[in-house]
Every structure is written in C-alpha cells, then in structure tokens.
C-alpha cells in the first residue's frame, strides 16, 4: 500500500467511525409503543393507535427559545388509571410515597410524585403528547414527548418517551 492509500484508508476509517457514531445517536429511534409498569395493578403496552384512541387534551405551551406550539396529548394520569392506578380518596397513606418515573430512549428520566398528578391535590398538567401543531412529532422529539405546561424550565419535557414506571420510596433504614 502506498503512503497515499494508507492515508485515504485511515481517513476512511475515521469518517466511517464518525458517521456511525453520529448516526447512532441521531438514529436512536423511540418505538411507537409505551410501556406502563412497575407497581401498577395492570401493566400495559400501548400502541400508537391505542394512544390515539384515548381522549386528548390540547395545550398551548412554549419549549424554551422556541415559538409557542399547540401540543395534544393524553394526561399521564389517564394512562396510569388505565393501568389500574387509583386517585382521589384512595390516594392516601403509604401511597403518598409513590412516584412515577418517565423513561426516554436515551436513558433520560424524570419523576413526578403520584400525588402531584392527582387533580384532587393539584391542578398540575402532565401530558404524554403525540401531536404538535396538528402533526406527529419528529423522530428526535417523539413519537411521544412529555409536556408540563406550567413549568419554568422544560427539563421534565422528556423527549422520545418509551415507558412509565410507578415506584415507591423505601422507608428510612433502621439504625444499627
Ligand atoms: N430524552 C430526553 N429528553 C429531554 C432531555 C434529554 O436529555 N433527553 N433534556 C431535557 C432538557 S434539560 C430540556 S431543557 C429540554 C430541551 O428541549 P428541546 O430539545 O426541545 O429544546 O428537553 C428535555 N428533555
Ligand atoms: Mo435543560
């Protein structure tokens, strides 16, 4: 191999590596299904169609630095109810130590206390959105994204949401 072809081969390898590396992150596509699990009476896997068939709420909200958009989504609370989680008068005692983890495809995850989502406790809205300005979300943002319209930072607006888990904060450890 000549010096030139070695150089070309090296650069080729570098470029291939860069392309596959860049591609791997850009192409991390979230599946169009949503798993609801953890400590729920009925674990579920909902398809895009299942979600489309559920009642949607429409909100106008602003992702930082971007123009306001109209997002349509299913309240997280409705998804939890579908998995058998109860709210209102039944949300008391040890269940006040339960929380929801929303998982994204890149490992990003955000939490909400179950009580924080209950309309008997607060007016907070947390939506699993599948439409933005009337169209499906882009692959980088969706197909599903969390939108929490009242928050000052969109840090809990998890993109590419793949799952929802209900967990319980453990009691404090016994002192030895
Ligand atoms: N899956 C995933 N969602 C995410 C993040 C992330 O790293 N991964 N970053 C969050 C943070 S910190 C912010 S500020 C917003 C940024 O949203 P944008 O990319 O639409 O501007 O997304 C949130 N959602
Ligand atoms: Mo952020």
């Amino acid at each position: 191999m000549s010096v030139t072809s070695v150089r070309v081969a090296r650069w080729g390898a570098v470029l291939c590596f860069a392309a596959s590396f860049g591609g791997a992150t850009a192409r991390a596509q979230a599946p169009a299904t949503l798993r609801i699990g953890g400590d729920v009476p009925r674990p579920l896997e909902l398809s895009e169609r299942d979600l489309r068939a559920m009642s949607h709420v429409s909100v106008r909200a602003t992702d930082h630095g971007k123009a306001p958009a109209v997002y349509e989504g299913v309240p997280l609370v409705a998804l939890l109810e579908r998995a058998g989680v109860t709210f209102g008068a039944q949300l008391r005692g040890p269940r006040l130590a339960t929380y929801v983890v929303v998982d994204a495809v890149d490992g990003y995850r955000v939490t909400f206390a179950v009580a924080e989502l209950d309309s008997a406790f607060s007016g907070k809205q947390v939506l699993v959105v599948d439409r933005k300005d009337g169209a499906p979300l882009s692959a980088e943002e969706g197909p599903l994204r969390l939108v929490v319209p009242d928050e000052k930072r969109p840090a809990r607006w998890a993109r590419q949401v793949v799952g929802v888990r209900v967990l319980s904060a453990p009691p404090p450890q016994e002192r030895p």
Side-chain angles (χ1 to χ4, degrees), residues 85-167:
V85 178
T86 55
F87 294 90
Q90 293 175 79
L91 182 49
R92 58 192 161 85
R95 291 198 49 221
L96 292 174
T98 59
Y99 61 99
V100 178
V101 182
V102 177
D103 295 297
V105 78
D106 59 350
Y108 192 72
R109 51 201 188 276
V110 298
T111 63
F112 298 88
V114 170
E116 192 183 2
L117 302 173
D118 185 356
S119 62
F121 280 83
S122 100
K124 189 166 191 68
Q125 246 180 345
V126 180
L127 300 177
V128 177
V129 313
D130 55 3
R131 288 284 187 287
K132 180 180 180 178
D133 291 331
L137 301 181
S138 69
E140 295 75 43
E141 196 176 9
L144 302 173
R145 183 176 196 177
L146 224 56
V147 168
V148 195
D150 72 342
E151 296 195 339
K152 293 182 186 168
R153 291 176 55 202
R156 292 203 283 184
W157 291 32
R159 287 182 251 102
Q160 298 184 292
V161 167
V162 293
V164 172
R165 293 176 287 149
V166 176
L167 300 174

Side-chain angles (χ1 to χ4, degrees), residues 52-112:
R52 266 329 279 166
M54 291 180 77
S55 173
H56 281 55
V57 172
S58 179
V59 296
R60 198 176 155 79
T62 312
D63 186 357
H64 68 169
K66 304 209 173 95
V70 176
Y71 293 93
E72 290 165 56
V74 177
L76 182 54
V77 93
L79 295 169
L80 293 170
E81 278 174 332
R82 194 160 164 171
V85 178
T86 55
F87 294 90
Q90 293 175 79
L91 182 49
R92 58 192 161 85
R95 291 198 49 221
L96 292 174
T98 59
Y99 61 99
V100 178
V101 182
V102 177
D103 295 297
V105 78
D106 59 350
Y108 192 72
R109 51 201 188 276
V110 298
T111 63
F112 298 88

